[in-house]
Amino acid sequence: MTANPETPDSGREGLDFTCPAYWRGTIKMGLSRFFILRVLHDGPLHGYDIARTVERTTHGCCSPTEGALYPALKEFEKGGYVTVIPQVVGGRTRKVYSLTDRGREAFQVALAAWMEVTECLLDTERQLGSTPGDREGARRT
């Protein structure tokens, strides 16, 4: 069986840390909850709209699946970060999620933390004196 270079497990024992898909997946998992809070910061949404708005806001970088979205929303609700209001639309009940004050605070804390990490990444890039695209091109030649 030939390993697909775009999958995290390249067929060797353990993970392939040279695979871009591994790093993209790891980053997306970490950012998913942040972007859920981000889109709810703009106003109440139901689950499907949250997922689509996150995808649109991130230009497709993050697109939470139902399997990731609803457990995160349930955890946010349990922690008092969101409230849930049932809404009947077309005879169907759907849950509309809204940030609480605690949720808005969590978003601000998360934003500050991600910005700190972003600055560290930019510092690293500056120290290396090249951009990721420059390094990719140099590796191929």
Side-chain angles (χ1 to χ4, degrees), residues 71-109:
L73 289 169
K74 187 175 222 57
E75 193 173 317
F76 287 151
E77 180 184 9
K78 186 176 179 182
Y81 301 98
V82 300
T83 58
V84 181
I85 299 171
Q87 182 182 65
V88 179
V89 176
R92 292 181 46 184
T93 301
R94 62 183 180 184
K95 295 179 178 180
V96 177
Y97 298 87
S98 300
L99 279 187
T100 62
D101 288 342
R102 185 174 181 167
R104 289 185 186 287
E105 179 184 351
F107 171 70
Q108 293 300 324
V109 169

Side-chain angles (χ1 to χ4, degrees), residues 2 12 21 23 28 30-31 37 43 45 49-50 52 59 75 79 83 91 103 105 108 115-116 127:
T2 305
R12 295 184 211 125
W23 294 104
K28 286 178 184 182
L31 281 171
L37 292 174
L45 294 168
D49 281 346
I50 292 170
R52 297 299 65 83
H59 307 287
E75 193 173 317
T83 58
E105 179 184 351
Q108 293 300 324
M115 293 309 296
E116 183 178 331
Q127 290 169 7

Side-chain angles (χ1 to χ4, degrees), residues 1-120:
M1 178 164 125
T2 305
N4 179 348
E6 289 302 313
T7 58
D9 184 357
S10 68
R12 295 184 211 125
E13 284 194 35
L15 297 172
D16 181 359
F17 295 112
T18 65
C19 180
Y22 166 79
W23 294 104
R24 285 186 198 106
T26 299
I27 292 164
K28 286 178 184 182
M29 282 190 324
L31 281 171
S32 184
R33 290 173 190 261
F34 170 79
F35 279 112
I36 292 168
L37 292 174
R38 162 62 185 92
V39 300
L40 288 174
H41 190 267
D42 290 341
L45 294 168
H46 62 85
Y48 179 80
D49 281 346
I50 292 170
R52 297 299 65 83
T53 305
V54 167
E55 186 172 24
R56 192 172 52 254
T57 300
T58 65
H59 307 287
C61 176
C62 284
S63 48
T65 62
E66 286 185 28
L69 176 65
Y70 290 104
L73 289 169
K74 187 175 222 57
E75 193 173 317
F76 287 151
E77 180 184 9
K78 186 176 179 182
Y81 301 98
V82 300
T83 58
V84 181
I85 299 171
Q87 182 182 65
V88 179
V89 176
R92 292 181 46 184
T93 301
R94 62 183 180 184
K95 295 179 178 180
V96 177
Y97 298 87
S98 300
L99 279 187
T100 62
D101 288 342
R102 185 174 181 167
R104 289 185 186 287
E105 179 184 351
F107 171 70
Q108 293 300 324
V109 169
L111 179 60
W114 278 109
M115 293 309 296
E116 183 178 331
V117 170
T118 299
E119 193 57 43
C120 290

